[in-house]
């Protein structure tokens, strides 16, 4: 089954404790991206990747890091999380930015 | 800069009513792509439609239809004879040939009451 898998689905943690949200896709897609969803703000792109070792900033990259060492994986790293990063996060993949995106089920992060 | 505006934050209708969700976009690129996604109460994001800037033909899929007008930079979505299962947040999104970013609007929450 074609899917994008995010883990964990839920996480409550404390300020400053490094965390990683994993994202994996099994569709051989070149394009992967991360979004955060906040009330009233819609979905905002954090980072995207056109291919292995090629990543670029979206609209809200501050406080986040990503890496794309393998085509199927695109982890989101919060090196020093802060409460303003409390949000619902989605990973997505597609053949390209101009193609339909497949989204993971989301990760709800709470930073205390 | 690219931008997507969904001015309707929330819309409530009664079943069987028709409803139109508005989407206005801004881009300087001549080649671009527009999308609609649905987010039902269960939370997943589901792709509905993709349109490129050279194809202004309206599209109909069952009770769903999309009206793309370059003259007004709009890509509106109409649900005919709405049903309770249509209750969701709907997002309009924009990407362009010259950038790899995907820009979403703030979404419109549609509530369909029985």
């Amino acid at each position: 089954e074609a899917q994008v898998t995010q883990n964990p689905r839920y996480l409550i943690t404390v300020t400053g404790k490094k965390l990683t949200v994993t994202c994996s896709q099994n569709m051989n897609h070149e394009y992967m991206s991360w979004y955060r969803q906040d009330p009233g703000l819609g979905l905002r792109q954090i980072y995207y990747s056109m291919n292995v070792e090629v990543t670029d900033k979206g609209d809200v990259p501050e406080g986040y890091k990503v890496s794309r060492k393998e085509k199927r994986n695109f982890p989101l790293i919060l090196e020093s999380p802060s409460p303003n990063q409390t949000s619902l996060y989605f990973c997505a993949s597609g053949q390209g930015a101009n193609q339909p995106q497949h989204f993971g089920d989301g990760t709800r992060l709470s930073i205390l | 800069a690219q931008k997507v505006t969904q001015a309707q934050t929330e819309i409530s209708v009664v079943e069987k009513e028709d409803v139109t969700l508005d989407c206005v976009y801004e881009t300087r690129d001549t080649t671009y792509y527009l999308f609609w996604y649905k987010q039902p109460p269960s939370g997943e994001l589901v792709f509905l439609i993709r349109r490129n800037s050279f194809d202004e033909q309206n599209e109909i899929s069952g009770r769903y239809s999309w009206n793309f007008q370059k003259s007004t930079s709009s890509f509106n979505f109409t649900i005919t004879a709405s049903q309770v299962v249509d209750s969701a947040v709907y997002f309009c999104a924009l990407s362009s040939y010259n950038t790899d970013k995907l820009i979403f609007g703030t979404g419109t929450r549609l509530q369909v009451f029985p």
Side-chain angles (χ1 to χ4, degrees):
Chain A
E1 180 191 351
Q3 59 185 0
V4 177
T5 304
Q6 294 179 228
N7 280 297
R9 293 292 313 280
Y10 304 90
L11 179 63
I12 301 174
T13 187
V14 295
T15 299
K17 187 176 181 182
K18 180 179 178 179
L19 67 90
T20 299
V21 185
T22 63
C23 175
S24 181
Q25 51 96 2
N26 63 0
M27 294 166 279
N28 202 35
H29 286 159
E30 294 190 345
Y31 187 84
M32 296 187 74
S33 53
W34 277 102
Y35 304 84
R36 60 178 290 174
Q37 182 176 6
D38 301 288
L41 297 177
L43 286 157
R44 294 179 292 168
Q45 194 174 52
I46 302 170
Y47 269 95
Y48 60 92
S49 170
M50 289 303 296
N51 213 327
V52 176
E53 303 292 1
V54 181
T55 64
D56 208 345
K57 297 177 181 178
D59 287 333
V60 288
E62 294 77 22
Y64 304 95
K65 283 176 59 177
V66 292
S67 68
R68 187 94 182 269
K69 294 185 171 61
E70 304 166 285
K71 196 172 189 178
R72 63 181 292 128
N73 296 323
F74 190 45
L76 180 69
I77 303 158
L78 285 72
E79 296 252 348
S80 183
S82 61
N84 64 12
Q85 293 177 298
T86 292
S87 187
L88 177 59
Y89 291 84
F90 286 97
C91 179
S93 75
Q95 298 284 14
N98 299 323
Q99 299 295 327
Q101 301 299 302
H102 298 253
F103 284 85
D105 288 336
T107 295
R108 189 166 291 281
L109 284 183
S110 294
I111 317 292
L112 305 177
Chain B
Q2 298 187 105
K3 187 177 180 181
V4 175
T5 300
Q6 294 180 259
Q8 303 153 308
T9 304
E10 188 162 340
I11 301 174
S12 295
V13 299
V14 177
E15 243 185 341
K16 296 183 182 158
E17 281 187 43
D18 298 347
V19 58
T20 296
L21 309 182
D22 297 333
C23 173
V24 174
Y25 62 91
E26 293 176 30
T27 180
R28 291 180 182 170
D29 294 319
T30 55
T31 304
Y32 53 89
Y33 302 82
L34 295 161
F35 305 83
W36 277 95
Y37 287 86
K38 175 182 180 180
Q39 186 178 42
S42 49
E44 73 271 22
L45 283 152
V46 179
F47 163 76
L48 294 177
I49 190 172
R50 167 183 181 261
R51 253 320 187 229
N52 73 56
S53 53
F54 298 110
D55 184 3
E56 283 194 77
Q57 191 173 6
N58 291 333
E59 180 152 342
I60 298 174
S61 176
R63 296 183 296 106
Y64 294 175
S65 62
W66 291 269
N67 183 346
F68 176 27
Q69 290 195 333
K70 287 176 76 170
S71 60
T72 56
S73 297
S74 64
F75 186 44
N76 296 338
F77 174 26
T78 297
I79 302 174
T80 302
S82 59
Q83 299 177 1
V84 173
V85 293
D86 296 325
S87 297
V89 179
Y90 292 87
F91 291 98
C92 182
L94 166 71
S95 68
S96 75
Y97 185 77
N98 292 323
T99 176
D100 299 317
K101 288 186 175 182
L102 183 57
I103 307 298
F104 282 81
T106 52
T108 297
R109 180 178 299 278
L110 174 65
Q111 295 196 76
V112 182
F113 294 99

